[in-house]
Amino acid sequence: MCVEYSSASEHEESNDDETQNAIREDLKGMSFEEIMKLKEELGAKVYKEAVLGGKSSRPQRPKAKTDLKRLNKNRPREMTTRRQVPFLGAEHRVERKKNVELRDPRFDEKSGAYSAETFKKNYQFVSQIRAKEVGQLKKKLDEVEDEAEKHDIKDTMQRLINKNVEDKKWHTKQKQLKKERSVIQKKHDLGQQPHYLTKKERRAKELVAQFEKLKNTGKLNKHMEKRRKKNAAKDRKRIGIE
């Protein structure tokens, strides 16, 4: 069987050699331009295999597949020594590109200095998104029947409302500070000594403004009742009464 296969393969190889020799003889009579045109039509790979001979032009013997079996199902599989065994988990590793630079914009000088006023101004639209979410949660609250889910929705609504209130307070405070700076600058321009408010004076001024606002909106009594209950709870906790 082996003798027949070897004789057949030798016969095929001799036929291939004769074909290649005939092709070479034909190419000798062709001009360079004609050869280049033929190479473009056939392709570089096919041209080289036809003229010079390649691996694909000759038939290869089918490789015998070795089935590596275990002597026992509890024993490890025997691996061939002709091929290096890959490192454990090598197929899951991803090589990080060296040209990628990882940086944190919070601590990177390239991102510039942090400005709270610029940040609040650029992300002021978030307050509008929160207000829309509060409206959606109100509609959802009317449809929900589970008490636990209702409690979670109410907590989420209150958290969003508190964030919007804090943002509004911050913007109001910034406007007041700008107003104070402008008054101080005018005093300097007139050559007068300006008065710089202390924290205590500024806090008292804010409380007066809050009191006037609650009084004008009719929410003063509700606010005072809420403060009274809060102070009473603090007193009970301080003296140890539940």
Side-chain angles (χ1 to χ4, degrees):
M1 183 71 177
C2 294
V3 176
E4 291 177 359
Y5 182 81
S6 60
S7 61
S9 60
E10 289 175 0
H11 180 67
E12 289 178 359
E13 288 178 1
S14 62
N15 291 336
D16 292 338
D17 293 337
E18 290 176 1
T19 305
Q20 290 173 5
N21 292 332
I23 292 171
R24 292 192 188 100
E25 290 295 330
D26 293 338
L27 291 174
K28 286 180 181 179
M30 297 173 65
S31 63
F32 182 74
E33 293 180 359
E34 292 175 345
I35 293 172
M36 293 303 295
K37 188 176 180 181
L38 179 65
K39 188 176 180 180
E40 289 179 1
E41 291 178 356
L42 296 176
K45 188 175 180 181
V46 178
Y47 176 82
K48 287 181 180 180
E49 290 177 357
V51 177
L52 304 176
K55 294 181 179 180
S56 61
S57 62
R58 296 181 181 179
Q60 296 180 353
R61 288 187 180 182
K63 293 183 179 180
K65 186 177 179 181
T66 56
D67 189 11
L68 300 175
K69 296 182 179 180
R70 301 181 185 181
L71 298 176
N72 190 317
K73 66 177 183 179
N74 297 323
R75 293 184 183 181
R77 186 184 297 276
E78 182 183 357
M79 301 298 292
T80 178
T81 56
R82 295 185 179 181
R83 187 176 62 183
Q84 185 178 2
V85 179
F87 180 74
L88 182 63
E91 64 276 7
H92 300 295
R93 290 182 299 175
V94 179
E95 294 183 1
R96 182 179 293 175
K97 295 181 180 179
K98 294 182 180 179
N99 57 352
V100 176
E101 182 183 358
L102 302 178
R103 62 186 184 90
D104 192 337
R106 297 175 298 173
F107 309 106
D108 195 351
E109 295 179 354
K110 296 179 182 178
S111 301
Y114 171 73
S115 174
E117 186 176 358
T118 305
F119 180 83
K120 293 282 187 181
K121 186 177 180 181
N122 291 339
Y123 290 93
Q124 197 169 3
F125 66 92
V126 178
S127 300
Q128 300 174 0
I129 295 173
R130 292 197 196 108
K132 288 181 181 178
E133 289 181 358
V134 170
Q136 293 173 359
L137 289 172
K138 282 182 179 179
K139 292 179 181 178
K140 188 176 180 181
L141 187 64
D142 297 335
E143 299 173 357
V144 173
E145 296 181 357
D146 187 17
E147 293 297 329
E149 193 172 354
K150 278 186 177 181
H151 182 71
D152 294 339
I153 292 172
K154 287 180 180 179
D155 288 344
T156 306
M157 286 172 58
Q158 190 61 45
R159 186 167 60 251
L160 294 173
I161 291 169
N162 291 342
K163 286 182 179 180
N164 279 353
V165 170
E166 289 297 325
D167 286 346
K168 196 172 182 180
K169 285 182 180 179
W170 188 88
H171 286 291
T172 305
K173 188 175 181 180
Q174 293 302 312
K175 287 180 181 178
Q176 186 65 29
L177 289 173
K178 283 184 179 180
K179 190 176 179 180
E180 290 178 11
R181 292 192 195 105
S182 64
V183 172
I184 292 171
Q185 188 63 40
K186 285 180 181 179
K187 291 279 187 181
H188 278 297
D189 295 340
L190 294 173
Q192 301 175 1
Q193 180 65 29
H195 174 68
Y196 295 95
L197 292 175
T198 62
K199 290 183 179 179
K200 188 175 181 180
E201 290 174 344
R202 187 175 287 110
R203 178 60 179 164
K205 200 172 181 180
E206 289 175 359
L207 289 174
V208 171
Q210 184 182 4
F211 178 84
E212 291 294 333
K213 184 179 178 181
L214 291 170
K215 187 177 179 181
N216 294 332
T217 55
K219 297 179 180 179
L220 182 61
N221 293 333
K222 186 178 179 181
H223 178 73
M224 296 301 292
E225 183 66 20
K226 189 176 180 181
R227 293 288 298 177
R228 187 189 65 76
K229 289 181 179 179
K230 188 175 181 181
N231 292 333
K234 284 183 179 180
D235 292 339
R236 286 198 300 270
K237 187 176 180 180
R238 182 171 53 85
I239 61 179
I241 299 175
E242 294 183 0

